Amino acid sequence: MSTDLARLADQAAAEIAASADEAALESTRVRYLSRRDGLLTAATKRIAGLPAAERPAYGQALNDAKRTIEAALEARGAVLRSAHLRRSLGEQADLTLPPRRVRVGRLHPVSRTIRDVSRIFGTMGFETVEGPEIDDDYYNFEALNIPPGHPAREKWDTLWIANPLGDDPARPLLGRTHTSPMQVRVMERRRPPVRVVVPGRCYRYEATDAIRESIFFQYEGLAIDERLSMSDLKGVLYSFARQYFGGERAVRFRPDYFPFTEPSAEIAFSCFVCEGRDPGCHTCGGDGWIEAAGCGMVHPNVLRRVGYDPDRYQGFAFGGGIERLAMLRTGTPDIRLLYQNDLRYLESV
Ligand code: DAH
């Protein structure tokens, strides 16, 4: 009985080895292994009619036969497949043709810049947080020491939105004009020390030009602790500039005014288009510098409002435009290029 099985397996192996192509191999497989009427399947069914004492040996022989047949199928299959592959490559593929072009996408320069800003300030211990683009008068102005009627509101005109959550006209909503409201929102929720950087979209009523858009991105930085000074602020911003530009741009730091910082300063980078040599330069307006951020020591009124004791805690804040950073590094002369979705531009930066 067992010898019959061994003979069956040998016969199958010989037929398998002689199968000329994958179709022939498949019909050989079916002839032996088909569940319905394969030769080996028929032999398997015979086990039921055997005396119990013979069954184990027969079962063993069945397994051996099956393994032999399967191994032969596997081996022949591999040979036929690789022959097929070689043949079709020889016939169809012209290996001298250039490869098909793979179009790889990339991050938008604005997204890239946001990531760079988070990463660089991250190396200095600033955690990245985000907040609402639609905010209210309190956070955007009042808590930042800009009461109603304050002249600073003039330069931060924006889109106002009827408050859909209730008709309290005293608290209309607005597209935030800067990321500075997040200073207040973060301080309300945390106790010092605080060190955050906040990237996000802002809105302004703006006559668009080469460096101004009415929808744009800013990043805000805030650090509050017991012993922070203007020199920490300067150190952080210079370190950022060095890491972001690799030392290529000159940095100008000079006094400015913001209601929520005292003293306040402005940081500017040298114009990459004209390097200060073209009085008619559209990018810098001819003065050779591009304002990049406002900054200063957080005003005691702002601290007091969130319940921080200004005699114990001080800190600095800064806020600047993401697009300007992106433009400065990619050599993009006009902010509008960033938002026109022109692939000729986007693929070049
Ligand atoms: N939020 C100001 C703006 O958009 C920039 C700014 C100035 C941010 C001083 C600050 C700051 O954090 O301390 O013009």
Side-chain angles (χ1 to χ4, degrees):
M1 271 292 203
S2 304
T3 11
D4 289 351
L5 281 174
R7 213 174 305 124
L8 184 71
D10 287 345
Q11 178 195 327
E15 274 179 45
I16 287 166
S19 301
D21 53 31
E22 287 175 274
L25 185 65
E26 174 61 10
S27 63
T28 311
R29 185 190 71 77
V30 168
R31 209 144 72 76
Y32 287 91
L33 298 185
S34 156
R35 275 174 201 275
R36 199 157 45 87
D37 52 6
L39 294 172
L40 189 71
T41 317
T44 308
K45 287 178 185 152
R46 245 172 268 142
I47 200 166
L50 290 180
E54 288 178 26
R55 283 187 202 162
Y58 190 77
Q60 184 61 50
L62 271 173
N63 282 340
D64 290 346
K66 189 157 185 235
R67 219 169 301 131
T68 304
I69 295 173
E70 280 172 348
L73 282 167
E74 183 70 30
R76 185 63 185 159
V79 170
L80 290 175
R81 271 195 305 279
S82 83
H84 178 75
L85 192 65
R86 249 178 292 130
R87 222 174 314 117
S88 61
L89 275 179
E91 280 165 13
Q92 291 165 14
D94 178 350
L95 298 179
T96 63
L97 285 175
R100 222 172 274 159
R101 189 164 157 236
V102 180
R103 288 175 75 105
V104 180
R106 65 182 79 197
L107 286 176
H108 190 278
V110 167
S111 306
R112 228 158 54 214
T113 306
I114 290 174
R115 292 189 184 193
D116 287 339
V117 164
S118 287
R119 179 178 51 76
I120 296 172
F121 285 112
T123 66
M124 294 184 267
F126 288 79
E127 176 196 349
T128 297
V129 299
E130 288 182 283
E133 287 173 25
I134 304 300
D135 213 322
D136 65 20
D137 190 275
Y138 178 77
Y139 288 104
N140 198 81
F141 293 122
E142 199 147 356
L144 290 168
N145 210 24
I146 314 173
H150 193 289
R153 288 185 178 229
E154 294 264 303
K155 78 169 190 173
W156 286 309
D157 199 0
T158 182
L159 290 167
W160 292 85
I161 301 159
N163 189 342
L165 302 176
D167 32 30
D168 178 359
R171 300 201 85 186
L173 298 178
L174 51 80
R176 65 177 174 193
T177 63
H178 47 187
T179 40
S180 302
M182 277 302 287
Q183 291 186 27
V184 181
R185 288 185 174 276
V186 167
M187 287 190 288
E188 277 179 346
R189 285 197 304 264
R190 302 186 183 190
R191 295 291 99 189
V194 171
R195 232 185 287 180
V196 292
V197 61
V198 191
R201 199 181 265 111
C202 303
Y203 303 81
R204 276 185 206 180
Y205 179 73
E206 210 49 282
T208 295
D209 64 16
I211 53 169
R212 287 182 193 83
E213 258 295 359
S214 47
I215 301 178
F216 59 101
F217 281 81
Q218 283 196 342
Y219 59 98
E220 190 80 14
L222 175 71
I224 305 284
D225 211 330
E226 293 196 11
R227 266 185 291 277
L228 284 177
S229 71
M230 199 81 176
S231 53
D232 296 304
L233 165 62
K234 218 169 152 179
V236 164
L237 291 180
Y238 274 69
S239 172
F240 171 77
R242 233 180 359 261
Q243 292 189 58
Y244 185 78
F245 294 117
E248 270 173 42
R249 304 254 62 85
V251 181
R252 184 185 72 185
F253 194 79
R254 65 176 190 182
D256 200 345
Y257 167 77
F258 295 97
F260 38 95
T261 41
E262 180 59 36
S264 306
E266 168 223 88
I267 189 161
F269 300 118
S270 51
C271 176
F272 58 95
V273 174
C274 73
E275 296 290 351
R277 284 190 284 269
D278 175 10
C281 177
H282 288 297
T283 306
C284 67
D287 76 351
W289 295 95
I290 296 180
E291 280 176 32
C295 58
M297 300 306 291
V298 178
H299 198 290
N301 287 351
V302 176
L303 295 175
R304 236 175 258 122
R305 222 182 248 275
V306 294
Y308 286 12
D309 174 3
D311 293 327
R312 177 160 176 213
Y313 296 113
Q314 323 82 48
F316 57 84
F318 50 88
I322 293 282
E323 286 86 350
R324 291 191 189 180
L325 288 178
M327 292 167 68
L328 281 156
R329 206 167 61 179
T330 53
T332 301
D334 193 309
I335 193 171
R336 290 165 288 201
L337 282 166
L338 289 167
Y339 295 115
Q340 281 163 352
N341 280 339
D342 184 336
L343 284 182
R344 287 169 303 179
Y345 162 73
L346 291 173
E347 287 180 347
S348 74
V349 290

